[in-house]
Amino acid sequence: MKEEEKKVLRDVPLNEEESMALIAQMIRNTQRKMERGAGTPILVWGYATVLATLAVWAGVKFTNDPRMEYLWFLIPAIGLPWQLFQKRRPPEVRTYVDKVVSYIWIVMGWSGFIVSCLSFLGAIQATILFLITLMMGQGNVITGLVTRFRPLTIGGIVALLLSFALLHLTDIDLHLLTFALAFVAMEIIPGHILNRRAKKACSQD
């Protein structure tokens, strides 16, 4: 254990240099955990969202049946069972940065869920796909900056730009496909990059 971490455990005040070193160490630990866990969490939710979006798009386009909107529930149907399965795994020691990232996605996740439910019930008239893309893009940018994982930051920025494009797209096909593209940029591509890094790291061990 590093000297700075020992001081924290003993509640010994750190000077500025030691504090910066400790923060840097926490970020490195979080990056290693992200690589060990690879991009699976990002990929699960990313692919679930893209799959549901394409299913809704195909259903509405080829059947013109508004009940196809229920296919959006594919997202929690895929993501939540996996999330519950993950909770059964033995817990790891979490750094402050880990907790920050977790809090970011608790807030973003619940916000997205509540907004989606309100929109589904007709309580929100705003463009729901714009709001979801905007919130998830912000979450990815913040997470990427906190963990210093550039692909996540870049993907989030791309999603933010696409979210504003959604405000001006009136064609339903383009609207849904742009939404799917945003999740490819901010979830699927960074997730595969993480997996590739994890594979490379494991091969070097």
Side-chain angles (χ1 to χ4, degrees), residues 21-188:
L22 180 60
I23 292 171
Q25 180 64 31
M26 287 180 178
I27 292 173
R28 286 193 295 271
N29 289 341
T30 300
Q31 288 174 329
R32 283 196 291 270
K33 286 182 183 179
M34 287 179 69
E35 290 181 356
R36 284 201 302 271
T40 305
I42 303 173
L43 289 173
V44 168
W45 288 103
Y47 274 115
T49 303
V50 172
L51 174 64
T53 305
L54 294 179
V56 171
W57 169 74
V60 172
K61 183 177 180 64
F62 296 112
T63 69
N64 203 28
D65 187 344
R67 289 176 297 180
M68 292 295 107
E69 296 285 346
Y70 285 104
L71 290 172
W72 287 116
F73 288 103
L74 283 172
I75 299 174
I78 295 171
L80 290 180
W82 177 85
Q83 198 80 33
L84 293 173
F85 174 77
Q86 287 296 105
K87 287 188 176 182
R88 294 184 178 182
R89 299 176 61 183
E92 294 184 348
V93 177
R94 301 175 70 198
T95 66
Y96 179 73
V97 176
D98 295 327
K99 292 180 181 179
V100 169
V101 172
S102 177
Y103 293 150
I104 290 170
W105 286 106
I106 288 173
V107 173
M108 291 296 178
W110 276 105
S111 298
F113 176 74
I114 292 170
V115 167
S116 298
C117 290
L118 291 175
S119 175
F120 194 79
L121 295 172
I124 293 180
Q125 301 302 320
T127 306
I128 182 60
L129 298 188
F130 158 71
L131 294 176
I132 295 298
T133 307
L134 181 67
M135 288 190 294
M136 297 303 106
Q138 290 173 335
N140 276 271
V141 170
I142 295 170
T143 302
L145 292 173
V146 169
T147 60
R148 296 182 183 176
F149 183 53
R150 188 173 297 176
L152 204 57
T153 304
I154 295 173
I157 292 172
V158 171
L160 289 176
L161 295 175
L162 290 174
S163 73
F164 291 107
L166 288 171
L167 289 174
H168 303 285
L169 294 174
T170 55
D171 182 81
I172 186 62
D173 291 345
L174 287 177
H175 204 78
L176 289 170
L177 294 177
T178 300
F179 180 73
L181 179 61
F183 273 82
V184 170
M186 67 177 163
E187 302 282 343
I188 294 177

Side-chain angles (χ1 to χ4, degrees), residues 188-204:
I188 294 177
I189 293 176
H192 280 296
I193 292 174
L194 266 178
N195 273 344
R196 188 174 62 182
R197 288 190 181 182
K199 185 177 180 180
K200 185 182 295 185
C202 291
S203 64
Q204 292 174 351

